[in-house]
């Protein structure tokens, strides 16, 4: 079981075969007298158990079998399965399974998880239960795809009137909203969750590392590792120094500007990053329209293209000046009021937003 791709959720289950020491026995011939035969050590002892089982070979579609042969093979398979250990499990309610979990067994000698000894796995999604047959006793875990939430369907970063920053992330199933305030992060909304996991954590401001741990333990891993792109279909890993520097610029501007996902970003290769941005005033009912920004290792500029354009155009807007990055682009195209507002924004919050963007890598995984 590749733990870079899969993760064990909901704890582990110990299913063991134990030998119980002799218990006191009543002597019918002598009232009020009980006798016990003691064997040392007088404690529960593990009993080794292993049942051989060979899964049926896949059927060849080109070979036709008689009904009697098929029936005989099914009977033998059922007899072999009946010799295995039958286990019924209920899904833990404190975690969210976005995909059907895989049952695996911990191999103590080899120090790894395997599903080799688990057979006939059946799920009941409505009741949140499963049944299985296993060849061994031991430690069992429920494994699920680590990055089932990736790639993101959309993301959005916008300032609030109280000086905080709201970050929305839409995955294939779950919709998450975070609020960054005074250097702390809270989950402000959790939509489309299949159970009540994490509802008691809504609105609690904590450090980012605690939010990451809490979400991962609950089965919502939106924080890809450096090799996450190897296990996520549809992602486009961007040039990391450029991407990281862009997150720094976005965090500095997050108190004044609104940034969001662009449908053109994934198709522009590794060295080009496309995002939407606009000046945002939380107390204003009507906001400005989004502009598309293209950022690469050499420069950043507004492009003459929109989200609804027929085709992508990387041509700079008329009258553009050379700007090395997004921050310089904003400084060269905005007035003194906006620049001062950017400079006066809380540095603690800037760093917290930057940490969050680096941890989620929304540009590469959307």
């Amino acid at each position: 079981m590749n733990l870079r791709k899969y993760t064990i959720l909901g704890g582990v289950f110990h299913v063991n075969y134990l030998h119980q020491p002799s218990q006191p026995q009543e002597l019918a011939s002598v009232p009020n007298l009980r006798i016990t035969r003691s064997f040392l050590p007088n404690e529960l002892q593990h009993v080794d158990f292993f049942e051989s089982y060979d899964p049926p070979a896949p059927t060849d579609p080109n070979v036709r079998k008689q009904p009697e042969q098929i029936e005989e093979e099914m009977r033998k398979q059922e007899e072999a399965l009946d010799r295995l250990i039958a286990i019924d499990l209920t899904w833990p309610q404190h975690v969210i399974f976005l995909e059907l979990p895989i049952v695996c067994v911990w191999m103590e000698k080899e120090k790894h998880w395997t599903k080799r000894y688990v057979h006939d796995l059946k799920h009941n999604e409505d009741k949140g239960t499963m049944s299985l047959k296993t060849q061994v006793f031991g430690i069992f875990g429920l494994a699920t795809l680590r990055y089932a939430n990736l790639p993101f369907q959309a993301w959005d970063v916008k300032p609030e009137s109280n000086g905080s920053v709201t970050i929305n992330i839409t995955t294939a199933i779950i919709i998450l909203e975070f609020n960054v305030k005074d250097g702390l992060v809270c989950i402000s909304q959790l939509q489309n969750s299949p159970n009540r996991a994490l509802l008691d954590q809504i609105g609690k401001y904590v450090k980012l590392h605690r939010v990451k741990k809490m979400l991962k333990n609950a089965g919502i891993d939106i924080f890809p590792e450096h090799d996450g792109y190897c296990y996520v279909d549809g992602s486009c890993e961007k040039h990391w120094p450029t991407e990281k520097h862009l997150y720094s610029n976005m965090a500095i501007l997050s108190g004044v500007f609104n940034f969001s996902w662009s449908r053109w970003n994934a198709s522009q290769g590794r060295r080009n990053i496309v995002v939407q941005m606009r000046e945002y005033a939380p107390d204003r009912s009507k906001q400005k329209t989004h502009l598309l920004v293209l950022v690469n290792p050499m420069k950043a500029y507004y492009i003459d293209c929109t989200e609804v354009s027929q085709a992508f155009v990387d041509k700079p807007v008329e009258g553009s000046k050379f700007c090395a990055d997004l921050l310089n682009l904003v400084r060269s195209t905005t007035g003194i009021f906006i620049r001062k507002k950017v400079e006066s924004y809380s540095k603690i919050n800037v760093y917290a937003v930057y940490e969050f963007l680096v941890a989620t890598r929304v540009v590469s995984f959307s």
Side-chain angles (χ1 to χ4, degrees):
M1 186 68 67
N2 182 2
L3 293 183
R4 301 301 296 175
K5 183 177 182 180
Y6 294 93
T7 185
I8 306 298
L9 285 181
V12 296
F13 302 84
H14 291 257
V15 183
N16 298 310
Y17 183 23
L18 303 174
H19 173 71
Q20 183 178 0
S22 300
Q23 300 298 301
Q25 298 178 0
E26 295 281 354
L27 293 179
S29 58
V30 183
N32 300 322
L33 181 63
R34 303 169 70 188
I35 186 170
T36 304
R37 299 178 64 192
S38 296
F39 298 92
L40 299 178
N42 193 14
E43 59 186 19
L44 295 174
Q45 297 178 3
H46 284 265
V47 179
D48 292 332
F49 178 90
F50 179 82
E51 180 65 41
S52 297
Y53 175 75
D54 295 320
T59 57
D60 188 349
N62 299 321
V63 177
R64 300 191 63 180
K65 296 182 180 180
Q66 297 296 326
E68 295 79 7
Q69 288 180 290
I70 298 174
E71 186 176 348
E72 180 66 18
E73 290 177 357
M74 291 179 64
R75 186 184 63 79
K76 290 182 178 179
Q77 183 182 350
E78 288 178 0
E79 289 179 354
L81 283 172
D82 287 342
R83 294 196 299 269
L84 303 184
I85 307 159
I87 300 176
D88 294 326
L89 289 176
T90 301
W91 296 0
Q93 292 301 304
H94 64 281
V95 296
I96 298 171
F97 289 104
L98 300 178
E99 294 188 347
L100 295 179
I102 302 168
V103 179
C104 51
V105 185
W106 175 250
M107 307 306 296
E108 182 60 32
K109 291 183 180 179
E110 294 84 356
K111 302 296 181 183
H112 65 72
W113 292 94
T114 180
K115 57 179 181 179
R116 184 182 3 168
Y117 302 114
V118 176
H119 308 280
D120 196 29
L121 179 61
K122 298 177 182 177
H123 292 275
N124 187 327
E125 291 188 70
D126 296 332
K127 296 181 179 180
T129 60
M130 65 180 72
S131 62
L132 61 117
K133 301 288 181 66
T134 175
Q135 298 174 241
V136 295
F137 287 99
I139 301 174
F140 293 82
L142 305 182
T144 186
L145 188 63
R146 187 174 181 180
Y147 298 126
N149 295 285
L150 302 179
F152 304 127
Q153 303 298 305
W155 58 269
D156 185 82
V157 180
K158 65 180 180 180
E160 298 293 344
S161 56
N162 62 355
S164 64
V165 173
T166 295
I167 303 175
N168 289 282
I169 294 180
T170 303
T171 69
I173 300 175
I174 303 293
I175 300 175
L176 293 156
E177 182 180 281
F178 302 89
N179 188 258
V180 184
K181 183 180 179 182
D182 299 329
L184 302 177
V185 182
C186 84
I187 306 171
S188 52
Q189 283 190 40
L190 175 62
Q191 299 180 34
N192 300 339
S193 175
N195 57 28
R196 297 185 61 82
L198 290 178
L199 291 185
D200 58 334
Q201 300 299 324
I202 301 295
K204 293 183 179 180
Y205 285 89
V206 293
K207 290 287 188 180
L208 178 61
H209 69 89
R210 291 186 59 187
V211 173
K212 291 172 65 175
K213 183 178 180 180
M214 181 170 49
L215 288 174
K216 286 182 178 182
N217 289 342
I220 306 176
D221 195 342
I222 58 171
F223 307 100
E225 300 289 347
H226 65 277
D227 60 346
Y229 66 92
C230 298
Y231 309 107
V232 178
D233 295 330
S235 64
C236 179
E237 190 190 21
K238 300 297 182 178
H239 183 250
W240 176 236
T242 304
E243 181 183 356
K244 191 175 181 181
H245 185 67
L246 174 62
Y247 292 147
S248 176
N249 289 175
M250 289 170 60
I252 293 171
L253 300 169
S254 62
V256 182
F257 288 85
N258 172 210
F259 299 92
S260 61
W261 164 86
S262 171
R263 72 185 184 99
W264 302 111
N265 179 59
S267 62
Q268 296 311 302
R270 183 170 178 266
R271 295 177 69 84
N272 290 326
I273 300 173
V274 182
V275 297
Q276 297 186 77
M277 70 172 292
R278 62 179 174 179
E279 184 187 334
Y280 189 86
D283 54 350
R284 195 181 300 163
S285 59
K286 189 175 182 181
Q287 303 293 339
K288 294 183 178 181
T289 57
H290 283 98
L291 297 174
L292 282 185
V293 183
L294 189 147
V295 180
N296 59 39
M298 301 299 296
K299 57 184 178 179
Y301 56 92
Y302 297 116
I303 57 177
D304 191 13
C305 184
T306 67
E307 285 293 289
V308 295
S309 297
Q310 293 287 336
F312 181 75
V313 179
D314 61 358
K315 180 182 177 182
V317 297
E318 188 176 350
S320 295
K321 298 179 182 179
F322 176 82
C323 297
D325 59 15
L326 181 63
L327 188 57
N328 280 283
L329 176 63
V330 170
R331 285 172 177 169
S332 66
T333 56
T334 58
I336 186 67
F337 176 75
I338 296 298
R339 294 199 296 270
K340 285 188 174 181
K341 196 173 179 182
V342 169
E343 291 173 2
S344 63
Y345 188 62
S346 169
K347 301 302 183 290
I348 295 176
N349 232 38
V350 166
Y351 185 71
V353 173
Y354 167 72
E355 274 192 314
F356 189 94
L357 294 176
V358 169
T360 53
R361 297 194 65 181
V362 291
V363 167
S364 285
F365 291 90
S366 63

